[in-house]
Amino acid sequence: MKKFNIRKVLDGLKEVSSSTPSVQVGPQENHLIQETLQSEHFQLCKTVRHGFPYQPSAMAFDPVQKILAIGSQSGALRLFGRPGVECYCQHESGAAVIQLQFLINEVKLWVVCGLCVSCRFPSLHWSHSNSNTCPPPLSFCRITYCHLPFQSKWLYIGTERGNIHIVNVESFMLSGYVIMWNKAIELSSKAHPGPVVHISDNPIDEGKLIIGFESGIVVLWDLKSKKADYRYTYDEAIHSVAWHHEGKQFICSHSDGTLTIWNIRGQGKPIQTITPHGKQPKDGKKPEPCKPILKVEYKTTRNGDPFIILSGGLSYDTVGRRPCLTVMHGKSTAVLEMDYPIVDFLTLCETPYPNDFQEPYAVVVLLEKDLVVIDLAQNGYPIFENPYPLTIHESPVTCCEYFADCPVDLIPALYSVGSRQKRQGYSKKEWPISGGNWGQGTQNHTDFISIIIIMLQVLYKLKTAKVFDRNRSKEDKGSADASDEDPFAIQIMAWCPESRMLCVAGVSANVIIYRFSKLEVTTEVLQLLEVRLQYELNDTESPDGGGGGEQTSALTTPGASPQTSGPPSHPSTSSNNSDGGNIPCLKVRSTPLKQSPGYQVDLVVQLVWVSGEPPQQITSLALNSSYGLVVFGNSNGLAVVDYVQKTVVLNLGTVELYGSNDPYQRQPRSPRKTRQPSGAKMSRKLSLPTELKPDLDHRDNSFSRSRSSSVTSIDKEAREAVSSFHFCETFARKGDCALTHCLHVGTSLGTVLALAITLPPAGEQRQLQPVIMTPTGMLVRLKGSILRMAVLDSTGSQLPPAHEPWFEPNVTADGEEREKVRKRRPVSVSPSTSQDLSESQYAVVCSEKQAKVIALPSQVCIYKHSITETSFILRADVVQMSQGVCLACFCANGHIMTLSLPGLRPLMDVNYLPLTDMRIARTFCFTNLGQAMYLCSPTEIQRITYSQDTLTNMLPCCVIVLELPVCLFQEMLGELFTPVETPEAPNRGFFKGLFGGGAQSLDREELFGEITAGKASRSLAQHIPGPGGIEGMKGAASGVVGDLARARIALDERGQKLGELDERTAAMMASADSFSKHAHEMMLKCKDKKWYQF
């Protein structure tokens, strides 16, 4: 019999427990809570992307559907219709989009990405009309230009080598017809003409193709005779070519800032040379060269002069001038300056036919960071007001907060005050990009797209820089580092939607408290508090000493009573300048401030220099409207401000919160020289609260939350930064039987400390009596910095912090009426606390490494879960789902996890987004109902959901065109492409039809087909397999919908084959009938003849 070894069993259990995070359950006989959330309630999925496309590179417009498409350098594609109609997809190659081509009014879009060209159906179904599958991309040598004639299925592709290939857009097969560069130029040039920069057919003769080469050669190619009719040569390189609608003239833009206009039959010299921005010498010499004209468009009107619209071409002596778009109409020339460099522009016209008067009415200008639409029909060329949420990057985004289930009256209130902020001078016409419908979708979409319609609308903008004086001395400007962040940048925000109170912390160690008002006021002097928050350790100081170097300075305006209340051992002292300190980093404006309706400044709090040391940046911030308190902390300690009385309530170093029970051995700081504040400057490097080091294995409890570079490594060992706050009504001390107003403080060393709050009675006494806060000791310790805290009741439901309802602060009301409005909402309390002092609350604490659930008031840890060992958590939130409450975490290794509460059972763990950018870590945030968001680029917001209920309430679609399965909000269905009749072709007229002066058509099928042109060489291009083809469709489709889609495609293919077989059978029957007929005739003819007559 084999001997049993208990040691091996124990070692095996130890290895299992150390390799995977596990839930450790403590004594829980009295903590049996029925948890309703299960793993099947979670599923991660992207929902919608908002904002301006990052690094745009190309643009296209469908004049019939009125849909705008924008491609980016990362292969992303955004489509815009009427306000609220947007669509996003990602090209599988990830290569930069260099050109886009719509198949006008055919629900197809061609994407040119450097080395490949692919067809995209911007719908959620692969099949449309007669096309059963989305063909795989076609790979060439480097593509430089593409052209797709209107209502044609043959695409012209120009390459870097100077050759032109032709592709069938339905079968995606390459034609054997090739225009070689040497055949096109023949002896007109001894050198290679360069890449193809332009291809277009003559508006009135589809058989004539104009080809522009980079070197300056333009060729008019006859497609039928396969030779060049005319060649036009210019000394300067060509950037673009545009036709006159009559097909007799064309215009070229060149690298020296000139425009040349040519007759198609005059190949010697251009009939006109224009330098729009060049100085014309009086002696008749050639104008001075200007910057290249990158693009030109030539548009005609029936009742006026044509429009010549161009980008670039400015004179070289205009140093520092912003990029411009030039509109030449008749004798007038308008130069429209842009805020950012121009990427591309398109002229919107009334007709899609190139051989008719275009009648331009607007110009869409794609800038590097904006989209501008100019009205050509009004004098002065005003711009249209952009309805899309494309301005979130107006200044760099530094932090984000996401709120769900806001009060019903909040959004209308913000909209009402935000609508008054709109600028004047916009065009009075409607937004011209008006394709698609929203709110009218149905489930039976076969040919047209169903898209997500989740509008993001800018409601209100608030500029915090108005609070401060922007005037800086010359010395300050000279000594400022060019790489420093904006001193007015926002670092942290705290917002109470119910009371509409807003608190903002800036990188310059300042906190601004705002109240919401619907009335305009003028504030003569801003309320100001200056706080000395400096933490010093020495050999003789004890943790419960008399405050040490902690000083509080309150400078208030008349009407404010500077009072500081707190423990007797931490009194507030008046300000003094004997140590050369008390200088803030920014100077608050001293002139009257006119504050429009909306958020208005109520109080400004600034940290000041102390003993020559700059203040440390604020690392945590919290607001409670019911208590009237704002608390903020940094690496030195924390300060509590009563914004009702405009005074500092508490100012403590972190070590003083422990009292005599400090578990850490604090080392004295090394002596350093006293630094004099020079212009109150400080390091403004904006970074994460947690330093993201490459080697995550060494991140234990070593931690620094200071965002100032003035903190040395010695300071990091001794300092304990305040990392998070949470206001609640709970049991302040162990064994308490009554609920108390509390503030929980989380630190960078994983400690949670509690402070009891004593509030004066509401009403007039709240204005006069002080608020008292008393540290009550340590609640729990965790591994890693504390990120999030929350309190649950006895049933496991989250207890939200108390708040007061909003009231109009600028209306003088009677005391009784004001008192009714300002009554605090009662806090929901767990069942009676007289039941043998059973645990009636649970505190949830999450750090960078683990999570714990503490029973209150016994302060016993009943659940513990190690979330990660090799990485660390960046963001954690306790969120309310439809079935219950859970803990959502975003880890630095890209995992998004959810844990049940209070049991801390793992419910979801998805490797979603590896942390590749600090921006993602800084802006990622969760909210209730299973929603989250982050900045996926400096200009775009990505929203995701991890709730299965959200996905269940959406309509699943079989396959999206590119990247992800997409689900749609049923109540917000919309259509991107709608059935629209193509406008009728222009009337040729009797005489033009009689004498051949109208447009001449071309049978491209006969010319480019395999019968005439032959097969193309396999070495020219190849199909790229991938998710864009049928195999990708098979892999992406799933479930019953996918099976139905595949069955439908197979049925269509079978029907097509049966149809072809039927046609062949009919042809054979007709041939047999004809043969029988001819045989019978021959028999009758030869029936009566003798043998010698043959």
Side-chain angles (χ1 to χ4, degrees), residues 918-944:
M918 298 283 285
R919 176 188 60 255
I920 298 174
R922 194 165 54 222
T923 58
F924 196 99
C925 51
F926 296 97
T927 189
N928 293 333
L929 304 179
Q931 303 292 323
M933 62 163 282
Y934 61 93
L935 252 72
C936 55
S937 72
T939 62
E940 294 172 293
I941 293 176
Q942 179 66 57
R943 291 168 63 176
I944 62 176

Side-chain angles (χ1 to χ4, degrees), residues 392 395-402 490-491 493 686-689 692 707 874-875 877 890 913 915 917-927 932-944:
I392 59 175
S395 59
V397 179
T398 56
C399 63
C400 291
E401 295 293 338
Y402 193 3
I490 296 173
Q491 192 162 5
M493 296 181 295
L686 189 65
S687 61
L688 277 178
L692 301 179
R707 303 195 190 191
L874 294 167
R875 182 69 184 242
D877 281 290
F890 174 54
L913 180 71
L915 183 61
D917 199 323
M918 298 283 285
R919 176 188 60 255
I920 298 174
R922 194 165 54 222
T923 58
F924 196 99
C925 51
F926 296 97
T927 189
M933 62 163 282
Y934 61 93
L935 252 72
C936 55
S937 72
T939 62
E940 294 172 293
I941 293 176
Q942 179 66 57
R943 291 168 63 176
I944 62 176

Side-chain angles (χ1 to χ4, degrees), residues 214 337 616 638 644 650 731 752 820 856 982 985 993 1006:
E214 187 181 55
E337 291 189 348
Q616 301 301 309
L638 63 89
V644 177
L650 188 69
F731 302 97
V752 177
K820 291 180 181 179
L856 299 176
T982 302
E1006 179 183 355

Side-chain angles (χ1 to χ4, degrees), residues 39-219:
S39 298
E40 55 267 20
H41 294 145
F42 294 90
Q43 183 178 344
L44 190 66
C45 181
K46 291 182 180 179
T47 54
V48 67
R49 181 171 292 196
H50 300 296
F52 183 78
Y54 182 55
Q55 295 181 337
S57 56
M59 180 172 57
F61 183 73
D62 189 327
V64 178
Q65 290 287 335
K66 297 190 181 301
I67 298 293
L68 181 71
I70 298 177
S72 72
Q73 296 182 17
S74 61
L77 187 64
R78 295 281 296 275
L79 290 96
F80 297 92
R82 67 176 64 250
V85 176
E86 298 180 24
C87 182
Y88 165 80
C89 47
Q90 175 71 42
H91 194 273
E92 55 267 15
S93 69
V97 178
I98 63 173
Q99 193 176 352
L100 297 171
Q101 284 275 346
F102 268 109
L103 276 76
I104 297 177
N105 204 25
E106 291 190 28
V107 201
K108 294 180 184 178
L109 178 67
W110 284 87
V111 183
V112 183
C113 295
L115 298 178
C116 67
V117 57
S118 58
C119 180
R120 289 289 163 258
F121 308 111
S123 69
L124 300 180
H125 301 285
W126 293 94
S127 60
H128 171 72
S129 299
N130 297 325
S131 301
N132 293 326
T133 60
C134 181
L138 196 62
S139 175
F140 286 85
C141 63
R142 179 173 171 79
I143 300 172
T144 55
Y145 196 85
C146 289
H147 172 64
L148 181 66
F150 179 47
Q151 294 181 330
S152 170
K153 63 178 182 179
W154 295 95
L155 176 72
Y156 301 102
I157 299 177
T159 66
E160 191 177 32
R161 298 177 182 175
N163 303 326
I164 296 177
H165 306 275
I166 303 171
V167 176
N168 188 298
V169 298
E170 292 184 352
S171 64
F172 221 59
M173 298 302 296
L174 189 65
S175 170
Y177 192 110
V178 182
I179 304 175
M180 307 299 291
W181 66 269
N182 53 355
K183 181 71 173 177
I185 66 170
E186 289 188 346
L187 300 178
S188 62
S189 176
K190 297 180 181 180
H192 191 281
V196 177
V197 296
H198 182 83
I199 307 172
S200 61
D201 51 345
N202 191 310
I204 62 171
D205 189 354
E206 296 176 353
K208 306 293 184 181
L209 195 69
I210 197 165
I211 306 169
F213 296 95
E214 187 181 55
S215 63
I217 299 177
V218 179
V219 177

Side-chain angles (χ1 to χ4, degrees), residues 846-860:
C846 183
S847 71
E848 292 178 320
K849 295 288 187 179
Q850 58 185 191
K852 287 185 179 181
V853 175
I854 313 299
L856 299 176
S858 66
Q859 298 186 2
V860 175

